[in-house]
Amino acid sequence: MRCTLAAILVAFLPVLASAQTASSRGDANADMAVNEADVTYLANHLLGTGPAAPRTCLADVNADGAATVADAFRLIDFVVGGGAPPSAQPAEICDGNDNDCDGLADDGFDLLTDSNNCGTCGTVCESNHSVNTCMSGQCSPTCTVGWVNSDGNLNNGCDTLLNTNPSCTSAVSIGSVSGDTFSGTITRSGTGEAWLRATIREDNSVGAVYLSAQMTLTAQSGVDYDLYVYCFTCTSSLAAFSTSG
């Protein structure tokens, strides 16, 4: 005798199965339980007499990526024959998909506060030289003392060490200005500590005029830097420094 899928299903309808969660494989009708009603629902769909499962991943009992006759027989084995329950749905991950088949994509991930998925899935607030938290969907690093975020990328924490303690012998020559005609300006910018060497020229050959120049340090708001000026050599006496006024 040749048995159809419908005949097999009808023969087993009186048997019940234990309740499952709403995202369990086999819950074809999405009523938060896996039982004989799901067998009928899935069979009607496969026979063309009923609607598809609200979510294909619920009807995909054997976890092969599709709802087919094989899923119906796998469901019968569980509901009627006391076979092993279908495999669990995968855990939800932040990727824009409904991985656990509960009808919601990326549920459980707060993109406004999740430091591993800040603003968008996969955006990590890296704690490089900082405590980097996610606030309102944007990384907000609090830098370790001496470090700053200088590249404008808040995701990577604090990337530049300001307190490098360079050696005076590493000073970079930045040119010269006239020390007695009071002309010429040299401007340099940078990040962190640095030694710079400037030459104060003698341009007036008539009379005795003291050579002089003005050194100015401008630092951005919230940054504490000091200017130290030495004359002649690295081992000479300190001529002036900004902390003394």
Side-chain angles (χ1 to χ4, degrees), residues 117-185:
N117 301 281
C118 189
T120 58
C121 289
T123 298
V124 179
C125 297
E126 301 175 14
S127 298
N128 295 327
H129 312 292
S130 67
V131 175
N132 203 354
T133 57
C134 181
M135 300 176 62
S136 300
Q138 184 176 37
C139 294
S140 179
T142 299
C143 297
T144 302
V145 174
W147 290 82
V148 295
N149 179 286
S150 64
D151 63 0
N153 180 8
L154 299 178
N155 300 348
N156 66 4
C158 303
D159 54 280
T160 301
L161 177 62
L162 300 180
N163 187 25
T164 56
N165 297 316
S167 168
C168 175
T169 56
S170 67
V172 176
S173 178
I174 59 174
S176 64
V177 293
S178 176
D180 47 19
T181 61
F182 311 113
S183 61
T185 300

Side-chain angles (χ1 to χ4, degrees), residues 94 105-121 123 134-138:
C94 192
D106 298 335
D107 54 311
F109 295 92
D110 186 350
L111 301 184
L112 295 178
T113 60
D114 189 342
S115 294
N116 292 313
N117 301 281
C118 189
T120 58
C121 289
T123 298
C134 181
M135 300 176 62
S136 300
Q138 184 176 37

Side-chain angles (χ1 to χ4, degrees), residues 22-34:
S23 57
S24 293
R25 295 188 189 278
D27 184 16
N29 60 6
D31 67 351
M32 301 185 70
V34 178

Side-chain angles (χ1 to χ4, degrees), residues 167-171 195 197 230-237:
S167 168
C168 175
T169 56
S170 67
W195 283 94
R197 180 180 289 111
Y230 295 82
C231 293
F232 305 115
T233 68
C234 292
T235 58
S236 64
S237 300

Side-chain angles (χ1 to χ4, degrees), residues 4 8 47 58 62 65 73 78 116 143 153 193 197 203:
T4 66
I8 294 173
L47 292 171
L58 294 179
N62 60 7
F73 282 101
F78 170 55
N116 292 313
C143 297
N153 180 8
E193 297 176 299
R197 180 180 289 111
D203 290 336

